[in-house]
Amino acid sequence: MTDNENLAAKLEAVLFAGGDPIEKLKLCAALMVSQEELENAADCLNEKYRKEDSGIELLRLEKSLQLAVKKEFSDSVKTALEIKKNMALSPAAMEVLTIVAYNQPVTKSFVEHVRGVDSSSVVNSLVEKDLLCEKGRLNLPGRPVAYATTDNFLRSFGLESIRDLPDLPEKKEQLSFDDMLADEEKE
């Protein structure tokens, strides 16, 4: 076994035992390796999981790593562990997630300003689902809580980083309210 394969095996053991995402810096400290050595070991694990008929995969989430069940086996795991099927997110929840993801960190009042409706219950629901989290308080009157997306958000949407979000359409590609009115008048 090469040094890199040995390190990959140690990394696999730590990630398996941890279950949740573990920050890369914490992994480097625990395994006493550089970030480059950690990335090489992670690449080795990725290669191993790609070659083998493995039921797990390595997820790279922003600054963390995690072992997870491959999507094609998730239904079997849910059935065996009696995990209830995840409920689909409402259009309001998707709208709030989009606002937060592209503008984070943001306050509830920012989300409500963009949406034009009270969004407290939607934000709270997304925090309970671990798709959003509190990222501290802003230095503004009332010290409002700032919210951001979580590693669970990245995992749920198949993203490695928030930078992997698709670009927003350019202003010229968007349909304005005036354009909609003009189209209705033509009809």
Side-chain angles (χ1 to χ4, degrees), residues 2-177:
T2 68
D3 287 344
N4 195 45
E5 290 171 334
N6 186 39
L7 178 57
K10 286 180 186 177
L11 175 60
E12 181 179 45
V14 171
L15 292 173
F16 176 79
D20 292 326
I22 302 175
E23 288 185 20
K24 291 177 184 178
L25 290 176
K26 193 172 187 178
L27 289 167
C28 287
L31 299 171
M32 295 181 285
V33 296
S34 69
Q35 286 192 353
E36 182 180 346
E37 290 170 311
L38 181 72
E39 290 297 337
N40 289 338
D43 290 342
C44 185
L45 281 181
N46 269 337
E47 192 61 34
K48 173 184 174 181
Y49 298 142
R50 250 186 257 122
K51 282 182 186 175
E52 296 179 13
D53 291 333
S54 177
I56 59 175
E57 63 184 338
L58 179 67
L59 299 179
R60 294 175 189 238
L61 307 165
E62 206 76 60
K63 299 175 185 173
S64 303
L65 297 175
Q66 181 182 17
L67 288 181
V69 173
K70 286 183 178 174
K71 288 181 181 113
E72 59 262 33
F73 303 117
S74 62
D75 288 340
S76 299
V77 171
K78 286 178 184 178
T79 301
L81 300 178
E82 298 177 4
I83 299 171
K84 292 185 175 123
K85 197 141 186 115
N86 291 338
M87 297 291 287
L89 293 173
S90 69
M94 290 298 290
E95 196 173 86
V96 168
L97 277 176
T98 302
I99 293 165
V100 174
Y102 282 97
N103 299 286
Q104 61 189 308
V106 299
T107 62
K108 283 182 187 176
S109 63
F110 176 84
V111 173
E112 290 170 356
H113 177 73
V114 172
R115 293 188 68 224
V117 296
D118 178 50
S119 302
S120 292
S121 63
V122 178
V123 170
N124 292 340
S125 170
L126 293 169
V127 169
E128 286 176 20
K129 289 178 169 67
D130 192 34
L131 295 171
L132 296 181
C133 67
E134 293 184 7
K135 275 294 191 197
R137 293 187 174 272
L138 298 181
N139 196 12
L140 296 171
R143 308 248 322 130
V145 174
Y147 294 91
T149 56
T150 63
D151 283 344
N152 192 39
F153 167 84
L154 295 174
R155 188 175 39 258
S156 297
F157 289 92
L159 304 169
E160 283 187 21
S161 166
I162 205 70
R163 292 179 297 282
D164 294 336
L165 285 169
D167 292 333
L168 290 172
E170 293 294 322
K171 183 82 171 159
K172 62 185 176 192
E173 297 172 16
Q174 296 181 29
L175 186 62
S176 72
F177 185 68

